[in-house]
Amino acid sequence: GERSMGRTVAAFNAITGRELTEAEGMLLLAILKMVRDRQRKVPHQDSCEDLIAYSALYAEARLSERT
């Protein structure tokens, strides 16, 4: 699946001069999904499902920082 965050973060960093990591990019997307879900009275299925995927991708990126 989704493995474009590394390139996305690299582009963001080049444009802004920041040093965001791939894991931080995934964290941002996970937070976005939580906010979108909480803006509704009933759970937003798409946001909740995406949150699971982004959490797994965050963990993968974060654990790869150990090497």
Side-chain angles (χ1 to χ4, degrees):
E2 175 58 47
R3 297 295 183 276
S4 60
M5 185 55 74
R7 289 185 297 264
T8 303
V9 167
F12 175 86
N13 290 341
I15 292 166
T16 64
R18 297 184 186 264
E19 294 185 22
L20 198 68
T21 67
E22 185 174 353
E24 290 169 331
M26 289 300 175
L27 177 61
L28 179 63
L29 290 178
I31 292 168
L32 172 68
K33 292 300 179 170
M34 286 183 229
V35 169
R36 284 185 177 166
D37 174 59
R38 298 303 301 177
Q39 288 178 337
R40 300 165 179 252
K41 289 186 178 192
V42 298
H44 184 237
Q45 184 169 341
D46 178 69
S47 291
C48 291
E49 290 171 355
D50 287 348
L51 176 59
I52 294 166
Y54 289 140
S55 295
L57 291 166
Y58 167 81
E60 180 182 278
R62 185 74 176 112
L63 291 171
S64 74
E65 293 175 0
R66 294 189 298 191
T67 58

